[in-house]
Amino acid sequence: MELDSNVRAVAIIGAGTIARTVGAELAAGAVPGLGLHGFLTREPRPGLPGPELAELPGRGAVVVEAASHQAVHELGAQVLASGADLICMSVGALADHELRERLAGAAAAGGSRLIVPSGAIAGLDLLRAAAESGLDEVVIEQRKPPRALLPEDEADELTEAHVVFDGPVSGVVVAYPKTTNVAAAVALAGLGFDRTRAVVVADPSLSANRALLTARGGFGTLTLQLDNVASANPRTSSIVAYSVLATLRGLVEPLVVG
């Protein structure tokens, strides 16, 4: 797709709900100064709101990863070393210390940035500030419909809320890699993967995801509950795609909040 020279190219890795929503908004001109370059997918996917790419753009571009942990492992360093900024949605992949170091090195070499959006949680800006002054405890509890966490037969038999994980974020991203990007983002903003506690609950009373973030430290205390509306993909909250758009807008607008 040919873009005006004054428009920064945005390429998207993936073709799921987040990728399609962000791509459609960019194609419609939702973020002046940014234009949809296309999609990189493993195989042809019909109905995308932009062209499919044979390769990703380099210096000056923005690449949105909306695919999987595997995509971050395979393409993240390449994108950053090329000089393109990378917006990473599969944040749980960053629990891998060696991968984080490799991506940081690639970003330094390429003069680019690895960016983690807020996704389906709020309060990350406060956690970052509190980490500067001293955080004592951070707990992220995620409650989800049972089918998002358990095999179908087990999920259908559940009649009351059941804790499926309680431990450090470093453990939950291994146990539930597709559903705990929120926990990983909270860990990165605050106390890290080993000191941030994650609680995951399968709750049959819910039809969409709920996140409860609590923190305490020298700043005071924080309690935040977010009841998300599900997207077309029930595992993904609808706000996630718009957090990507807000992040993209922050790359080009002269006034940035948060």
Side-chain angles (χ1 to χ4, degrees):
M1 179 179 290
E2 291 294 329
L3 297 175
D4 185 279
S5 60
N6 295 320
V7 174
R8 193 173 180 188
V10 180
I12 301 174
I13 302 172
T17 301
I18 297 171
R20 289 172 184 264
T21 301
V22 172
E25 293 284 343
L26 289 171
V31 185
L34 295 177
L36 178 64
H37 184 65
F39 296 81
L40 185 71
T41 62
R42 288 193 177 277
E43 55 189 36
R45 301 291 293 271
L48 292 173
E52 295 192 40
L53 303 172
E55 60 183 19
L56 292 168
R59 186 163 304 280
V62 184
V63 175
V64 177
E65 175 280 313
S68 64
H69 289 198
Q70 184 179 359
V72 181
H73 278 270
E74 292 180 358
L75 298 173
Q78 171 191 326
V79 169
L80 292 164
S82 76
D85 289 338
L86 176 62
I87 296 177
C88 177
M89 299 308 299
S90 302
V91 190
L94 303 182
D96 183 329
H97 177 74
E98 290 186 3
L99 176 63
R100 286 204 314 277
E101 291 294 307
R102 181 157 59 89
L103 296 180
S112 54
R113 292 185 296 168
L114 174 62
I115 301 167
V116 174
S118 57
I121 192 61
L124 299 187
D125 51 348
L126 187 144
L127 283 181
R128 290 197 307 270
E132 298 288 341
S133 65
L135 270 169
D136 297 321
E137 181 183 43
V138 178
V139 181
I140 176 65
E141 178 180 312
Q142 293 179 265
R143 288 180 171 258
K144 304 192 176 196
R147 286 198 178 195
L149 298 166
L150 301 171
E152 189 173 315
D153 56 342
E154 292 182 34
D156 291 345
E157 292 177 1
L158 201 63
T159 59
E160 59 184 25
H162 173 64
V163 176
V164 299
F165 184 92
D166 187 342
V169 172
S170 57
V172 80
V173 296
V174 175
Y176 297 96
K178 295 182 178 180
T179 61
T180 49
N181 289 320
V182 162
V186 168
L188 285 168
L191 286 175
F193 287 92
D194 292 326
R195 294 180 59 205
T196 304
R197 179 182 167 203
V199 180
V200 181
V201 182
D203 190 338
S205 71
L206 298 179
S207 59
N209 300 337
R210 171 178 294 167
L212 178 64
L213 173 63
T214 57
R216 62 180 179 82
F219 73 97
T221 59
L222 166 70
T223 302
L224 184 152
Q225 178 175 310
L226 180 61
D227 289 310
N228 284 295
V229 174
S231 68
N233 176 355
R235 291 179 180 271
T236 303
S237 302
S238 63
I239 194 63
V240 173
Y242 296 98
S243 80
V244 177
L245 287 166
T247 300
L248 288 167
R249 199 178 296 279
L251 297 179
V252 294
E253 291 193 340
L255 173 62
V256 180
V257 178

